[in-house]
Amino acid sequence: MIRVENLMHAFGSREISYPDFEVSASQHFWIIGNSGCGKTTLLHLLAGLRKIQQGSVTVGDQRIQNMKGVDLDKFRGQNIGLIFQKPHLLTSLSVRDNLSTAQFLASKKRDVGRVNSVLHELNLSALISSKPNQLSQGEAQRVAIARAVINKPKVILADEPTSSLDDENCSKVLDLMIKEANIYGATLIVVTHDQRVKDQIANGIKLEAL
Amino acid sequence: MSLFAISWSYIKEKPLNTFLNTLLLSLGIGIIVVLLLMSHQVQSNLEKNAKGIDLVVGAKGSPLQLILSSIYHIDFPTGNIPLIEAQKIAANRRMVEKAIPLALGDSYREFRIVGTNQLYRDVYSAEIESGAFWQDDLEVTIGANVAKTLGFEIGDEFQGEHGLTSNGHSHDEHNYKIVGILKQSNSVLDNLILTNVESVWVMHEKEGSEDHHGSDKLEPDIFGIKIGDQGEDKELTSLLIKYRSPRAAMQFPRMVNNNSSLQAASPPFETARLFNLIGAGVEIIRGFAYLIIVIAGLSVFIALYNSLKDRKYDLAIMRSMGASRTRIMSLILIEGMIITAIGGIMGFVLGHGVVELLGQLMATANQNIVTGQLFLSNEWLVALMSLVLGIFVSIIPAVEAYKTDISEVLANG
């Protein structure tokens, strides 16, 4: 579950006020808005990547603004899976090691079985030893999704995951994210300006441009 | 997965860069290790070979040359001294406990023949491997390296060559006979051919001279040398002196230098002077090595700092996956330390390898023995320096990584 209340963020003299909303556990949700309306900032506030200046964000039973430092990092690693527009895999590591690194950085025990099982779910088993530069764009995006769900997060946050994809691939990526979120009972929030997302995810809010 | 594994994966991604940085560092560390090992071993060899010898008395000239030729057998003697003068010096029982005569001038295949008496072997606590110490004229006892290099065995004979280099003419009127081989002592003895003083004189007698023949009927002098009628014409190369009391150290050298045609040279003083002379060169090389290390450190720093730009997004992604700021900082620190540790290890291997190689080359040229198979306690300081360098060069990039604003980086990605 994610709840946003009275959230406001200022960049110098420019202030963004976000509407209150709540997304229940296992629900899929879109946040749509045009460029500059503060979508990515909102996603970073939800993930605790940016300090909350005013208002409140609750993930599960934890208030993000009440956590800081190592505790917040650990909470994020273990409870929030992030997916970006570009896969941004760690290029020096193999597919397997990218996933193992996600376990390690979230202070989770190394679980090879879990890595294999997630790769199997996403039809990536054959690429386990490949380096990111040996993957197609679609394969790399699937590995990025695998990395986001490796720690069985309570929340999956996706930032413009479909913006650079054609209709077919857009649909596939959304299907995968929804499927993975369903497997782990995770809340899925997709932040995007891509209206096609609405075709596969029923609920959401629209952010108004400033 | 571990921070080390992640850092190592980044290092492996740029093999040429890593190789060049570690090579540069290994050169600097290697030179310092070579200097440490060489100066320590050369100094301890010099001290070991001069142990038990308080003073060398020889012909006037360079005192350092006198020491080098009479103790270390690595330079030419300053000249000869009259036997009568040497006997007077040795007769000073108040100040001189031991006076060992040396008669140099011949060699065999570059191994020096030393005419002396039995006291000489006591200075080095020489032990026999096989056979016995020389007793009669033209009998020799050879050092372990001489036997090994020339393949000599007990009973073999050879003709001495005039001079201390390999191009001297042979003394073909007389043969030396090997009666003993010394145990390896890692001292100058290993490379010497020892005989009595009379044998050296026999080799240099003019044709037809009968002065020394039948020497077993003669009475020995203060050195135990049996001298014929022409004793006043006889010469030695030098005398090795051991003082009877510490007071002699103050008075005896001055007495020799002022009241005789001879010169007295103190081994500790001259070796210290030698090290002072060499020291300036060693310091320049050491300074150069430190400069290389600083350049290597700078190069690692630049490589890490530049790689931060390429890796900014990777670091932000790691933060988004739960890595704390400290972990990200540690990642960069570990990377710098791995590079400097590899450079350091390569430097130690290089330094010890070079010294071992030099030791083997020098052993064949009859010089002081050095080995690379020795680890000095000072080397821990060099290892520590390498580690500190690793931390020092990566601290700024690590702090930069620590301060990275992940939200901003991800937003611009």
Side-chain angles (χ1 to χ4, degrees):
Chain A
M1 183 274 287
I2 283 191
R3 187 187 307 126
V4 171
E5 294 168 298
N6 306 318
L7 191 62
M8 192 191 287
H9 196 83
F11 297 92
S13 59
R14 183 184 160 217
E15 280 188 353
I16 307 174
S17 291
Y18 295 100
D20 293 353
F21 64 92
E22 184 174 322
V23 187
S24 58
S26 310
Q27 191 183 353
H28 309 149
F29 199 77
W30 47 256
I31 298 171
I32 286 182
N34 294 327
S35 292
C37 69
K39 302 186 297 293
T40 297
T41 302
L42 175 60
L43 184 123
H44 290 177
L45 289 167
L46 299 181
L49 295 173
R50 194 176 272 276
K51 195 178 173 193
I52 295 170
Q53 298 168 344
Q54 195 177 321
S56 140
V57 173
T58 308
V59 176
D61 53 2
Q62 292 288 333
R63 280 175 176 262
I64 294 289
Q65 66 271 27
N66 292 347
M67 289 188 286
K68 56 183 176 183
V70 178
D71 291 339
L72 178 58
D73 293 326
K74 193 173 173 183
F75 177 82
R76 181 170 55 245
Q78 294 185 348
N79 295 285
I80 300 173
L82 284 151
I83 299 166
F84 304 97
Q85 183 177 352
K86 292 179 192 165
H88 286 300
L89 302 174
L90 303 179
T91 52
S92 62
L93 300 175
S94 66
V95 167
R96 177 204 290 115
D97 289 343
N98 263 280
L99 269 58
S100 297
T101 298
Q103 289 179 324
F104 166 70
L105 294 176
S107 307
K108 291 241 176 178
K109 275 191 185 169
R110 188 180 184 197
D111 186 346
V112 179
R114 170 82 189 134
V115 170
N116 291 335
S117 118
V118 170
L119 289 176
H120 181 71
E121 275 167 28
L122 290 158
N123 200 21
L124 289 165
S125 297
L127 302 170
I128 191 163
S129 299
S130 303
K131 287 282 184 74
N133 60 7
Q134 297 170 310
L135 304 176
S136 69
Q137 198 191 344
E139 287 166 344
Q141 190 65 319
R142 266 154 49 212
V143 175
I145 294 169
R147 183 176 65 184
V149 299
I150 189 73
N151 294 322
K152 299 181 182 171
K154 291 192 178 98
V155 177
I156 299 170
L157 300 176
D159 187 11
E160 302 277 12
T162 57
S163 302
S164 57
L165 303 178
D166 58 28
D167 288 350
E168 188 186 346
N169 281 311
C170 167
S171 174
K172 276 184 185 174
V173 165
L174 284 172
D175 279 348
L176 272 178
M177 289 194 299
I178 291 165
K179 179 185 147 197
E180 291 299 311
N182 287 339
I183 290 173
Y184 304 110
T187 304
L188 172 66
I189 296 180
V190 179
V191 173
T192 186
H193 70 274
D194 187 352
Q195 300 291 332
R196 295 174 296 181
V197 172
K198 287 181 179 173
D199 298 339
Q200 281 162 277
I201 297 174
N203 302 309
I205 55 165
K206 187 173 181 189
L207 296 182
E208 297 300 331
L210 295 171
Chain B
M1 235 340 120
S2 63
L3 285 181
F4 182 89
I6 300 170
S7 292
W8 180 240
S9 76
Y10 280 115
I11 289 171
K12 278 199 304 181
E13 236 192 352
K14 292 183 175 173
L16 182 65
N17 203 3
T18 305
F19 173 73
L20 291 176
N21 281 328
T22 50
L23 182 71
L24 198 59
L25 188 60
S26 69
L27 280 177
I29 301 258
I31 293 171
I32 288 181
V33 169
V34 168
L35 290 177
L36 273 178
L37 288 174
M38 291 293 283
S39 58
H40 172 83
Q41 291 183 79
V42 168
Q43 193 156 12
S44 67
N45 270 334
L46 288 179
E47 282 166 6
K48 184 180 174 185
N49 286 316
K51 201 177 169 189
I53 301 168
D54 295 327
L55 195 74
V56 179
V57 176
K60 285 207 186 291
S62 157
L64 179 60
Q65 190 182 341
L66 180 60
I67 297 288
L68 291 177
S69 62
S70 295
I71 295 181
Y72 307 113
H73 299 277
I74 49 174
D75 200 352
F76 293 97
T78 48
N80 286 338
I81 58 174
L83 175 64
I84 292 170
E85 292 247 28
Q87 286 169 329
K88 282 183 199 165
I89 299 277
N92 190 337
R93 293 295 182 200
R94 198 166 55 87
M95 296 194 189
V96 177
E97 184 187 318
K98 275 185 203 169
I100 304 165
L102 294 184
L104 307 173
D106 287 349
S107 62
Y108 183 71
R109 306 272 171 90
E110 292 190 23
F111 290 105
R112 294 185 179 198
I113 298 170
V114 179
T116 184
N117 62 17
Q118 302 292 338
L119 288 176
Y120 188 65
R121 71 188 210 205
D122 296 339
V123 171
Y124 298 101
S125 307
E127 289 180 47
I128 286 288
E129 177 72 36
S130 60
F133 287 107
W134 73 97
Q135 291 295 331
D136 296 327
D137 294 358
L138 302 178
E139 285 184 350
V140 297
T141 301
I142 61 175
N145 287 350
V146 183
K148 207 185 314 174
T149 310
L150 302 178
F152 274 154
E153 291 176 1
I154 306 293
D156 286 351
E157 295 190 4
F158 64 91
Q159 293 172 344
E161 293 158 356
H162 191 68
L164 300 176
T165 52
S166 58
N167 51 6
H169 67 82
S170 286
H171 291 296
D172 49 11
E173 298 90 354
H174 305 284
N175 281 3
Y176 281 115
K177 186 178 179 187
I178 298 165
V179 296
I181 297 171
L182 297 173
K183 275 188 182 166
Q184 184 91 33
S185 63
N186 295 325
S187 70
V188 282
L189 284 193
D190 294 340
N191 297 314
L192 296 180
I193 298 168
L194 304 177
T195 185
N196 61 13
V197 174
E198 296 91 314
S199 300
V200 177
W201 287 342
V202 167
M203 287 290 164
H204 295 92
E205 274 174 6
K206 285 173 191 147
E207 209 174 322
S209 168
E210 293 295 323
D211 180 54
H212 206 74
H213 294 183
S215 64
D216 51 338
K217 293 173 193 161
L218 303 171
E219 281 301 309
D221 76 339
I222 194 167
F223 300 119
I225 305 169
K226 292 167 183 171
I227 305 159
D229 299 337
Q230 297 163 26
E232 65 276 10
D233 298 333
K234 297 293 183 193
E235 290 182 323
L236 295 173
T237 306
S238 57
L239 278 181
L240 306 180
I241 304 282
K242 175 147 183 65
Y243 296 136
R244 187 165 292 282
S245 66
R247 219 178 102 197
M250 303 292 290
Q251 298 174 351
F252 195 65
R254 201 181 313 147
M255 205 177 83
V256 172
N257 287 330
N258 294 343
N259 303 331
S260 73
S261 60
L262 313 179
Q263 76 160 335
S266 155
F269 181 79
E270 293 305 325
T271 48
R273 202 162 67 90
L274 176 66
F275 266 85
N276 275 344
L277 290 172
I278 300 170
V282 169
E283 285 309 311
I284 289 171
I285 298 171
R286 200 193 306 274
F288 181 66
Y290 282 123
L291 184 68
I292 293 177
I293 290 173
V294 168
I295 292 170
L298 200 63
S299 172
V300 175
F301 166 76
I302 292 168
L304 284 176
Y305 200 84
N306 283 341
S307 76
L308 272 188
K309 285 182 205 159
D310 306 333
R311 242 189 284 168
K312 213 157 55 173
Y313 213 91
D314 279 12
L315 298 177
I317 289 284
M318 285 188 223
R319 291 288 323 274
S320 77
M321 290 193 283
S324 64
R325 285 178 186 274
T326 316
R327 271 196 165 174
I328 295 296
M329 187 174 163
S330 305
L331 191 74
I332 305 294
L333 278 175
I334 289 171
E335 194 173 329
M337 286 167 75
I338 291 175
I339 293 171
T340 50
I342 294 172
I345 291 166
M346 278 169 61
F348 276 98
V349 172
L350 185 73
H352 281 264
V354 166
V355 173
E356 182 63 25
L357 195 69
L358 283 175
Q360 290 186 9
L361 289 173
M362 286 163 81
T364 58
N366 308 336
Q367 301 297 311
N368 286 317
I369 296 163
V370 290
T371 174
Q373 297 169 36
L374 174 80
F375 196 89
L376 301 174
S377 55
N378 285 1
E379 288 182 71
W380 286 115
L381 285 177
V382 181
L384 185 69
M385 182 182 75
S386 160
L387 199 67
V388 170
L389 181 78
I391 296 170
F392 188 73
V393 299
S394 33
I395 195 82
I396 293 176
V399 169
E400 284 293 312
Y402 180 93
K403 291 194 304 193
T404 302
D405 182 340
I406 38 173
S407 176
E408 192 183 315
V409 174
L410 291 173
N412 295 329

